[in-house]
Amino acid sequence: MKTKYAVSAVLVISLGTAGIARSQEPTSTMGTPNPTPTQPSPPAVVKREPVPTPDKYPLAEAVRILESGDATKNTGEKHTPTVPALPRSAASHPLSSEVPRSFEAKGDVALNATGAEAVLLSREWTESRNIPVPGKDGRVVYPYGGGLPIVVCAPLHVCILELEPGEKIAGEPHIGDSIRWEISPSASGSGPDATPLIIIKPRIAGLDTTMVVPTDRRAYYVRLESKPNEYIARVAFSYPEESQQKWQEYLTKQREQQDKAAAERVVELPNGALENMYWNYEIKGGDVSTRPVHVMDDGAKTYIQMPPETIHRELPVLVVRGPSGSEMVNYRVKDNMYIVDRLFDRAALLLGSGKHQVKVELIRQAEISTKAKEQNPQAVNGTQTEAKP
């Protein structure tokens, strides 16, 4: 390699010397007309300079420079323009052309205990396993709020993110990489129950970003990944909270219907009509939730109708006062109705114990003659809260 460099240098120098020598030769005067053809001018005498010998050139120095590589470095330094380098923070900034020279962004910041704990909690949610389940028509269904759902797409394929029917998209989706992902809206169906769709297409494989879709009911936060060939065609959501809310609404409505039916129905009387019932009972103590609405008997059994809301509360205990004091009796409760298998003169409904015990007394009044009933019908009902017409 050294020999090759030396030969090249000698050839270059020799060619340059030969060129100089040719440039010093006299030019031909054949083309110039002689003003006096009868008197030709004497030929010009040209003094030729001797060709310098090779020892006059610094070949050894040239070979040394070529072998050491200093010539390449010197050439690069001469022809490469010097460009002032931007600060590292400004060069990495996406808006470096608009960042003032005095701006210097920090590469990283130290998190305090609150920030570190918040990052840890967020990471636990994003990395938690949100198990998808198969849905109809090829859907992959994620439970909403159970973790970070992942939508895997591939170039030249379409992925569909399906929202809840009747849901309205509140604004344009926000995506971390809006250059290499194509997001467009669509819908399935029409009217107020139309299903909004988000069409997702990646431009290349190997992408990983996140997207937020705001709606009038919730905000969807999903992770988008692109693979060369693998993709999920349709992604939908299930809503456990909405299911629980629907069940609560259904049970509340059913309870209201039962309360209404219980309030409208006095009692089922297997042994006689309402006209044959005895209604003259006095009711003392208690409050609206513990006082019976009606107390009556058919001559063999006693019926105590409680307010409808007591169906969903703790029921008081019925105690009958006999000759030897208070005693327990056989009774059963159907909806909001106590059915006692005997008659009594005095009884009590007890709820709680001690100082906080609630007591409601039920006293059967003496029977009034038919003539007295016709003269004073109000006396028939005693002090009950509601009289039977």
Side-chain angles (χ1 to χ4, degrees), residues 138-213:
R139 293 177 176 88
V140 175
V141 181
Y142 286 100
Y144 178 82
L148 181 63
I150 300 177
V151 181
V152 181
C153 300
L156 304 180
H157 293 277
V158 174
C159 294
I160 299 176
L161 186 67
E162 183 175 319
L163 309 184
E164 188 179 19
E167 197 168 11
K168 301 295 185 297
I169 299 177
E172 183 179 356
H174 301 273
I175 185 169
D177 185 357
S178 60
I179 303 299
R180 296 178 293 181
W181 289 85
E182 183 178 346
I183 309 296
S184 57
S186 185
S188 174
S190 60
D193 295 330
T195 301
L197 306 176
I198 304 295
I199 309 300
I200 305 172
K201 291 186 291 185
R203 299 186 185 277
I204 59 175
L207 303 179
D208 188 353
T209 187
T210 53
M211 179 180 67
V212 177
V213 182

Side-chain angles (χ1 to χ4, degrees), residues 300-348:
K301 297 180 180 181
T302 305
Y303 302 91
I304 305 172
Q305 184 184 11
M306 300 297 293
E309 57 268 18
T310 56
I311 298 177
H312 314 292
R313 298 181 180 179
E314 182 183 359
L315 292 173
V317 178
L318 177 64
V319 179
V320 174
R321 182 177 298 178
S324 58
S326 299
E327 58 184 19
M328 301 294 294
V329 294
N330 293 329
Y331 68 91
R332 59 189 180 276
V333 179
K334 184 179 180 181
D335 293 334
N336 62 328
M337 185 70 67
Y338 286 73
I339 303 176
V340 188
D341 295 331
R342 55 167 286 186
L343 302 179
F344 56 79
D345 292 330
R346 299 179 69 92

Side-chain angles (χ1 to χ4, degrees), residues 99-310:
V99 176
R101 295 182 178 273
S102 60
F103 175 79
E104 183 177 358
K106 296 182 179 180
D108 196 2
V109 294
L111 297 177
N112 58 11
T114 302
E117 183 67 20
V119 170
L120 179 61
L121 293 176
S122 178
R123 183 182 304 165
E124 289 180 355
W125 180 80
T126 55
E127 296 179 355
S128 62
R129 188 178 180 186
N130 189 5
I131 302 177
V133 296
K136 62 179 181 178
D137 300 332
R139 293 177 176 88
V140 175
V141 181
Y142 286 100
Y144 178 82
L148 181 63
I150 300 177
V151 181
V152 181
C153 300
L156 304 180
H157 293 277
V158 174
C159 294
I160 299 176
L161 186 67
E162 183 175 319
L163 309 184
E164 188 179 19
E167 197 168 11
K168 301 295 185 297
I169 299 177
E172 183 179 356
H174 301 273
I175 185 169
D177 185 357
S178 60
I179 303 299
R180 296 178 293 181
W181 289 85
E182 183 178 346
I183 309 296
S184 57
S186 185
S188 174
S190 60
D193 295 330
T195 301
L197 306 176
I198 304 295
I199 309 300
I200 305 172
K201 291 186 291 185
R203 299 186 185 277
I204 59 175
L207 303 179
D208 188 353
T209 187
T210 53
M211 179 180 67
V212 177
V213 182
T215 70
D216 59 345
R217 300 178 184 177
R218 57 186 65 87
Y220 294 86
Y221 189 81
V222 298
R223 181 176 179 179
L224 303 180
E225 295 180 350
S226 64
K227 302 284 287 183
N229 299 310
E230 300 171 322
Y231 68 97
I232 305 173
R234 305 178 69 177
V235 175
F237 295 89
S238 62
Y239 306 93
E241 294 183 357
E242 297 244 339
S243 299
Q244 294 178 2
Q245 184 178 357
K246 289 180 180 178
W247 272 110
Q248 292 295 332
E249 293 176 355
Y250 172 78
L251 294 176
T252 302
K253 185 177 180 180
Q254 188 179 42
R255 191 179 301 117
E256 292 175 353
Q257 292 176 351
Q258 292 176 353
D259 294 346
K260 184 178 180 180
E264 293 176 352
R265 183 182 70 251
V266 177
V267 69
E268 297 179 2
L269 301 174
N271 297 330
L274 292 177
E275 295 84 17
N276 299 325
M277 302 296 290
Y278 185 76
W279 300 81
N280 194 12
Y281 282 83
E282 182 181 359
I283 303 173
K284 292 183 178 180
D287 53 18
V288 178
S289 62
T290 56
R291 287 173 61 87
V293 179
H294 298 287
V295 180
M296 68 209 84
D297 67 76
D298 60 0
K301 297 180 180 181
T302 305
Y303 302 91
I304 305 172
Q305 184 184 11
M306 300 297 293
E309 57 268 18
T310 56

